[in-house]
Amino acid sequence: MNPDPTDQLDRANPEIVHARDAYRVALRHVNLNLASVLLAYHAGSHGTGEEVSGADAAYRKFLTEMALVSLANGVESALLDIERETEASFNVWDEPSYELLHHEQAKLVRTLHHIVKHNGGIVAGNSLAGRLLMDQYGAAEGTEIGALSLNIPALFCRNYLFLLDLLRNVTGIEHPFLALPEDEQAKQIASLFLPEASSGTA
């Protein structure tokens, strides 16, 4: 399920045509920027069972950190592409005049990425990102980001929906995924980015 919501737009209106074209190109860039993130995490997390050895734990920590870095970089690149195509600038730390779906989840991923990149993956109260994670999300000083119980697929879905909702606000075009119940959103996003999910073999 991935119908194009721009198919029914008034093609005689130049403003609508411009918005449609900007939406289509920006959405393509969003998908390209995020295409490898979920696929790489999904492939890397296969084969880990209930029993976790020391080596398994270290690998899962590494996998989580790399997924966060990839997701944050993908979202940041997608935001730049949306700005270029729609001429609407957006800073994830700013509060826009409109409400954005999963905006806090986008901020969370950026915060986690900053700690992985600049603090060796350790929550430290002497950094802005560390204090934010401690104050707003209840993380303890010295916590390892890779050891947190983070649901990477859920973070991915919510950040993808955040980008779709941003596109809706700046172009006026709503992606069909935004109208779905949350569990169906997750299924449709998985089928879009994971070939196994769409074939029913995940």
Side-chain angles (χ1 to χ4, degrees):
M1 173 186 171
N2 196 20
D4 188 341
T6 66
D7 284 342
Q8 306 304 318
L9 296 179
D10 181 3
R11 291 171 174 78
N13 186 320
E15 291 185 3
I16 291 179
V17 169
H18 176 73
R20 179 204 64 193
D21 292 344
Y23 171 89
R24 284 179 169 175
V25 174
L27 179 61
R28 190 178 306 121
H29 284 299
V30 167
N31 289 345
L32 287 172
N33 282 311
L34 297 183
S36 65
V37 178
L38 191 59
L39 188 62
Y41 180 80
H42 182 74
S45 61
H46 270 195
T48 53
E50 294 296 326
E51 298 295 327
V52 181
S53 67
D56 287 337
Y59 175 70
R60 287 186 179 183
K61 175 178 176 290
F62 168 79
L63 187 64
T64 296
E65 291 184 349
M66 290 304 97
L68 288 170
V69 169
S70 297
L71 179 56
N73 287 339
V75 171
E76 184 173 10
S77 295
L79 288 173
L80 292 173
D81 286 328
I82 290 173
E83 178 177 348
R84 183 179 65 249
E85 299 301 333
T86 66
E87 301 176 353
S89 61
F90 181 82
N91 186 322
V92 74
W93 300 112
D94 292 341
E95 295 299 329
S97 58
Y98 44 84
E99 188 173 336
L100 273 173
L101 185 67
H102 299 311
H103 190 183
E104 289 302 315
Q105 294 288 295
K107 292 179 182 178
L108 173 60
V109 166
R110 187 67 65 86
T111 300
L112 293 168
H113 166 253
H114 191 279
I115 294 172
V116 170
K117 184 177 180 180
H118 298 288
N119 289 78
I122 306 295
V123 177
N126 62 357
S127 74
L128 181 61
R131 288 197 303 274
L132 180 65
L133 202 64
M134 293 167 67
D135 294 343
Q136 295 193 13
Y137 300 100
E141 176 95 24
T143 299
E144 292 187 347
I145 295 301
L148 292 173
S149 297
L150 297 171
N151 187 330
I152 297 298
L155 278 175
F156 178 92
C157 288
R158 289 166 186 161
N159 274 261
Y160 184 66
L161 291 166
F162 157 76
L163 292 169
L164 295 185
D165 200 39
L166 177 60
L167 267 179
R168 179 183 66 83
N169 277 282
V170 298
T171 67
I173 301 171
E174 180 171 331
H175 193 284
F177 287 0
L178 292 172
L180 298 174
E182 188 171 358
D183 58 341
E184 188 61 26
Q185 287 174 334
K187 291 178 183 177
Q188 293 298 331
I189 293 170
S191 69
L192 178 62
F193 289 99
L194 296 175
E196 289 184 0
S198 59
S199 64
T201 58

